[in-house]
Amino acid sequence: MSLLEAAAILLAGVAAGTINTVVGSGTLITFPTLLAFGVPPVTANVSNNIGLVPGSVTGAIGYRRELVGQRSRVLRLLSASVLGGAIGAVLLLVLPEGAFAAIVPVLILLGVVLVIFQPRLSAWVAARTEARGETGRDGAWWVWPAVLLTGVYGGYFGAAQGVLLMAVLGIGLSDHLQRLNAAKNVLAAGVNAVAGLLFVFIADVDWRIAGLIGAGAVVGGIIGAGVGRRLPPLVLRALIVVVGLVALVTLLLT
């Protein structure tokens, strides 16, 4: 690895850490960068996943103020994320390459559409919850299994995982978008951590790459937490949609 390649991977880690904290889809920066330098796809994927773990944790800590009062909710959903992340990581190692190629763009497009219509869908879900006499504190019943499935996807690849999570949380939970973004960062960190832990023991990891991405992602997580919490809900929602569409186009063209 040359100094130029190392610098490029480090900067890609900074950008990915920033984007992951604000929206998600930072993998769409680091993964193509690694492929461009000739890193084998599976090695690039697992090394990238491990490298992004510190940035995910940093981003979650950066949003700690927005996490106040969400302890029970986040812990309950974190169990789904961790389980899903473990399943996705195992699938990455046992399934043929390209097994999810057809469904990944569909999932991203679905997430973008759900984010666009999230306010109306959230109001509809809240009305139905109130009509049934439920408190709705932990959201609709389907939030946990939906987070589980998002975790499976995140453990397998992870691009636009944040977009999908924000769609699920925004529709199923009644709360401010910034607080949901904080919860999203914790859940994504859980997925990345459990998948990364499995990859350490059962996958071919390039630790130079993981280290460079990790160092950059930590800086990016700090930057993202500062930028993300200043964005109004409408701007944050628009950014999620734009990133999701870029992720979709990128995957379709590669």
Side-chain angles (χ1 to χ4, degrees), residues 164-183:
L164 294 173
L165 271 174
M166 286 301 291
V168 170
L169 299 180
I171 294 169
L173 301 175
S174 178
D175 209 334
H176 192 278
L177 204 60
Q178 289 288 3
R179 283 171 55 80
L180 296 181
N181 198 33

Side-chain angles (χ1 to χ4, degrees), residues 100-188:
F100 280 6
I103 196 173
V104 165
V106 176
L107 288 175
I108 295 176
L109 180 60
L110 176 61
V112 169
V113 171
L114 291 177
V115 169
I116 292 174
F117 292 100
Q118 179 256 319
R120 292 184 181 180
L121 292 172
S122 297
W124 178 76
V125 171
R128 285 181 59 85
T129 300
E130 184 177 355
R132 290 194 301 265
E134 299 173 0
T135 62
R137 176 180 175 82
D138 291 326
W141 65 267
W142 49 263
V143 172
W144 196 94
V147 170
L148 171 67
L149 292 176
T150 303
V152 174
Y153 170 71
Y156 185 87
F157 182 50
Q161 175 188 188
V163 174
L164 294 173
L165 271 174
M166 286 301 291
V168 170
L169 299 180
I171 294 169
L173 301 175
S174 178
D175 209 334
H176 192 278
L177 204 60
Q178 289 288 3
R179 283 171 55 80
L180 296 181
N181 198 33
K184 176 267 293 181
N185 285 332
V186 176
L187 300 181

